[in-house]
């Protein structure tokens, strides 16, 4: 009867130990996340109850002494738990749990050693061993709490690291997307830049062609004026040459006359001499015109030189007028000049300033011609040029016409490149733009205008620093 009761007690104690081992393994699996960290060891831990069941069977068959099977199985469980903790030693809570089990392991080893040496010693130190068991349990609980806190802290750090990693990946993805967008935008901008560069090149070529066309148009007007200006002295030379030839014929006839008139020959010779003087005068006049135009058309540097402003204004006024008359023989206009003789020589680039005056005079004659076509009766086309020296020492050239004036809507665009009020084919819109650039940039002067619709327009060129 006693043996049966003792056997039931041993079996109950061993079964409780097996259940506690299963609970400990289950808790350890969850605490250390063994299925992820050590999956093979986790599978083996699932069979930890097998040795306990074997000891239970052997204890019933072999009548193992009281508590011996329980102690053996407890030692086995401690060994398995210790091996598991050593396997996951790299994990900080596992090291803490290993430290928590250390007193129990040492106490279990001491009990086994005392039991092996002497049963009496084990009984003598039973109180001490029970106290040590209490201390070991408290130690175990304390370090389990510490390990739990460590796990929470590590879990927070892991979550924080995952959030940082997620944020880093998101930033990298955004950076990659931004780099892609920047690359696409850069390619687009590069293509647009190339297109704009090509458009700018085409525009410069077109501008150069238009400027050349404007120069050729000015040259054509200048050439027409020169031709008309030279025609007058050449006509005089031709006419007086013809008259002189007739006088020579009369003189020869008189010399062949048997009865010669002594008063006729001196008169014929005097007329012939006067004709020759006039031929010489008009020949020099034609030569001076050609020489002056050659000087103006010759390629010059941009250095300023003293020039006679009054002579330059008078010559280009007549050249612009005759240039327009070469196109329209029916056109006539009054030319008024008020040239201040006290101006003296002016430091300027003669060729450029002549081009400005030619543009201003040509526009003035064009304006009065258009008004004459619109108002043929009661209107007298008039273009006036005056020069004067201001009290400040600057010199002004004023070109006034009594044309229709400039409409208020387009006054702000007068000096813009390529703007013109002339019909297509009659102007490029560069005359006033080039003139403004020559005066303002080339001579540090000003080019302004005053206009009134239906009354006329006056352009004023102001040149500082006159000599």
């Amino acid at each position: 009867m006693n043996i049966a009761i003792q056997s039931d007690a041993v079996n109950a104690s061993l079964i409780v130990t097996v259940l506690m081992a299963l609970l400990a393994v289950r808790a350890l699996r969850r605490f250390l996340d063994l299925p992820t960290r050590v999956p093979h060891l986790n599978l083996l831990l699932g069979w930890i109850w097998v040795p306990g069941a074997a000891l239970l069977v052997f204890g019933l068959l072999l009548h193992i002494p009281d508590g011996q099977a329980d102690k053996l199985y407890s030692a086995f469980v401690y060994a398995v738990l210790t091996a598991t903790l050593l396997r996951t030693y790299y994990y900080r809570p596992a090291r803490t749990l290993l430290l928590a089990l250390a007193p129990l392991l040492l106490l279990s080893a001491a009990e086994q050693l005392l039991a092996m040496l002497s049963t009496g010693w084990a009984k003598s130190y039973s109180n001490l061993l029970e106290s040590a068991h209490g201390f070991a349990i408290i130690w175990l609980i304390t370090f389990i709490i510490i390990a739990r806190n460590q796990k929470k802290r590590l879990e927070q750090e892991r979550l924080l690291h995952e959030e940082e990693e997620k944020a880093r990946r998101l930033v990298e993805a955004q950076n990659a997307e931004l780099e892609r967008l920047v690359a696409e935008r850069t390619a687009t901008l590069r293509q647009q830049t190339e297109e704009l560069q090509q458009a700018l090149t085409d525009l410069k070529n077109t501008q150069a062609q238009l400027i050349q066309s404007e120069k050729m148009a000015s040259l054509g007007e200048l050439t027409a004026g020169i031709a008309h200006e030279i025609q007058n002295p050449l006509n005089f030379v031709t006419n007086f040459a013809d008259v002189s030839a007739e006088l020579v014929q009369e003189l020869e006839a008189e010399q062949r006359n048997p009865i010669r008139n002594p008063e006729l020959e001196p008169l014929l010779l005097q007329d012939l001499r006067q004709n020759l003087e006039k031929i010489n005068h008009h020949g020099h006049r034609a030569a001076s015109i050609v020489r002056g135009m050659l000087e103006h058309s010759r390629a010059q540097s941009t250095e300023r030189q003293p020039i006679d402003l009054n002579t330059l204004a008078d010559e280009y006024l007549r050249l612009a007028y005759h240039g327009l008359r070469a196109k329209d023989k029916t056109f006539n206009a009054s030319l008024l000049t008020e040239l201040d003789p006290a101006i003296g020589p002016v430091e300027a680039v003669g060729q450029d300033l002549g081009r400005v005056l030619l543009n201003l005079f040509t526009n003035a004659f064009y304006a009065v011609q258009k008004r004459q076509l619109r108002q043929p009766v009661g209107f007298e086309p008039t273009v006036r040029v005056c020069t004067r020296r201001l009290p400040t020492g600057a010199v002004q050239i004023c070109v006034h016409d009594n044309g229709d004036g400039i409409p208020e809507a387009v006054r702000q665009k007068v000096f813009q490149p390529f703007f013109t009020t002339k019909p297509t084919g009659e102007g490029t819109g560069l005359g006033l733009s080039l003139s403004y650039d020559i005066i303002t940039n080339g001579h540090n002067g000003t080019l302004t205008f005053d206009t009134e619709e239906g009354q006329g327009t006056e352009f004023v060129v102001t040149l500082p620093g006159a000599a």
Side-chain angles (χ1 to χ4, degrees):
M1 181 69 178
N2 292 333
I3 295 173
I5 294 173
Q6 291 178 357
S7 177
D8 291 338
V10 172
N11 294 338
S13 176
L14 184 58
I15 291 172
V16 170
T17 303
V18 171
L19 292 176
M20 292 181 64
L22 289 174
L23 292 175
V25 167
R26 183 173 180 274
L28 195 64
R29 281 175 169 176
R30 295 180 60 185
F31 188 80
L32 299 180
D33 193 17
L34 295 180
T36 302
R37 300 181 186 279
V38 282
H40 299 291
L41 182 58
N42 178 67
L43 294 176
L44 293 177
L45 289 176
W47 300 93
I48 197 170
W49 58 272
V50 174
L55 287 174
L56 182 60
V57 173
F58 289 139
L60 294 174
L61 297 176
L62 301 177
H63 301 290
I64 297 175
D66 183 21
Q68 191 66 31
D70 188 20
K71 292 180 181 179
L72 289 175
Y73 183 70
S74 297
F76 169 75
V77 172
Y78 285 145
V80 170
L81 293 179
T82 302
T84 303
L85 293 175
L86 289 174
R87 180 67 179 79
T88 56
Y89 188 77
Y90 60 89
Y91 187 46
R92 188 185 304 173
R95 296 197 295 270
T96 303
L97 289 179
L98 186 62
L99 183 62
L101 287 176
L104 287 176
L105 295 175
L106 293 175
L107 186 58
S108 177
E111 288 179 350
Q112 294 295 331
L113 182 61
L114 290 175
M116 291 173 60
L117 293 176
S118 173
T119 306
W121 285 3
K123 292 181 180 181
S124 300
Y125 291 101
S126 60
N127 293 332
L128 179 61
L129 292 175
E130 289 180 359
S131 299
H133 268 290
F135 171 78
I137 295 299
I138 295 174
W139 178 279
L140 176 65
I141 294 172
T142 302
F143 275 85
I144 286 176
I145 294 173
I146 294 174
R148 185 171 176 272
N149 292 334
Q150 287 179 345
K151 182 180 180 180
K152 287 183 178 180
R153 187 164 56 251
L154 289 176
E155 185 66 19
Q156 292 176 354
E157 292 178 357
R158 182 184 66 80
L159 292 176
L160 180 61
H161 179 71
E162 288 180 355
E163 290 293 332
E164 292 178 351
E165 184 68 17
K166 183 179 179 181
R168 184 184 65 80
R169 291 178 181 176
L170 180 60
V171 170
E172 289 180 353
Q174 292 177 347
N175 289 338
E177 181 66 16
L178 287 176
E179 289 178 358
R180 185 185 65 80
L181 293 176
V182 169
E184 291 180 356
R185 186 60 178 167
T186 302
T188 303
L189 291 176
R190 186 179 296 110
Q191 182 180 0
Q192 292 177 351
T193 301
E194 293 175 355
E195 293 176 354
L196 290 176
Q197 188 66 32
Q198 183 62 35
L200 180 61
T201 302
D202 296 340
L203 181 61
K204 288 183 178 179
N205 294 334
T206 304
Q207 184 179 10
Q209 293 175 1
L210 290 174
I211 291 175
Q212 185 64 25
S213 299
E214 178 67 23
K215 290 181 179 179
M216 294 303 296
S218 300
L219 180 61
E221 295 173 354
L222 184 62
T223 303
I226 294 173
H228 193 281
E229 190 72 11
I230 293 177
Q231 189 65 38
N232 287 331
L234 291 181
N235 287 337
F236 280 109
V237 169
T238 303
N239 292 335
F240 282 114
D242 293 339
V243 173
S244 297
E246 294 177 358
L247 290 176
V248 171
Q249 291 177 359
E250 291 180 9
L251 183 59
E252 290 176 348
E254 181 63 24
Q255 289 178 348
R256 290 194 300 268
N257 192 352
I259 304 175
R260 301 172 62 179
N261 186 352
E263 297 180 358
L264 181 59
E265 290 185 8
L267 291 176
L268 293 174
L269 291 175
Q270 183 180 359
D271 290 342
L272 183 60
R273 184 180 299 108
Q274 290 178 354
N275 288 346
L276 292 175
E277 290 176 356
K278 292 179 179 180
I279 289 173
N280 182 64
H281 170 73
H282 289 290
H284 283 296
R285 172 60 181 162
S288 65
I289 293 173
V290 173
R291 184 170 54 254
M293 293 305 101
L294 288 175
E295 290 177 356
H296 288 304
S297 62
R298 185 182 303 119
Q300 300 177 358
S301 64
T302 57
E303 295 182 359
R304 302 183 188 181
Q305 298 178 355
I307 62 171
D308 189 340
L309 190 61
N310 291 336
T311 301
L312 190 70
D314 183 65
E315 286 183 358
Y316 276 95
L317 175 65
R318 288 183 288 104
L319 289 174
Y321 175 63
H322 294 314
L324 184 58
R325 278 183 51 82
K327 299 177 182 178
D328 184 3
K329 299 296 184 182
T330 63
F331 174 72
N332 288 291
S334 298
L335 308 182
L336 302 180
T337 56
E338 299 176 10
L339 307 177
D340 185 1
I343 285 182
V346 177
E347 293 287 339
V349 181
Q351 184 180 11
D352 291 345
L353 191 57
R355 183 175 300 161
V356 172
L357 293 175
L358 183 62
N359 285 329
L360 297 179
F361 291 142
T362 301
N363 289 341
F365 285 122
Y366 179 84
V368 298
Q369 182 190 32
K370 291 302 178 184
R371 183 175 179 182
Q372 185 183 40
L373 293 176
R374 184 178 56 82
Q375 185 182 342
V377 179
F379 172 71
E380 182 181 356
T382 303
V383 175
R384 176 173 56 88
V385 57
C386 65
T387 59
R388 58 175 174 264
R389 183 179 291 276
L390 301 178
T392 59
V395 174
Q396 280 189 344
I397 310 169
C398 303
V399 179
H400 180 270
D401 67 76
N402 61 344
D404 287 326
I406 303 174
E408 184 175 0
V410 299
R411 291 177 187 176
Q412 300 296 328
K413 304 178 183 179
V414 167
F415 296 119
Q416 290 183 5
F418 310 113
F419 174 78
T420 179
T421 58
K422 297 179 182 179
T424 304
E426 294 190 19
T428 61
L430 289 174
L432 287 177
S433 174
L434 291 175
S435 300
Y436 184 83
D437 186 67
I438 290 172
I439 295 301
T440 56
N441 295 331
H443 291 80
N444 298 323
T446 60
L447 176 58
T448 60
F449 68 92
D450 185 20
T451 183
E452 183 177 354
E453 291 190 55
Q455 298 298 322
T457 303
E458 182 179 53
F459 280 88
V460 180
V461 177
T462 304
L463 299 176

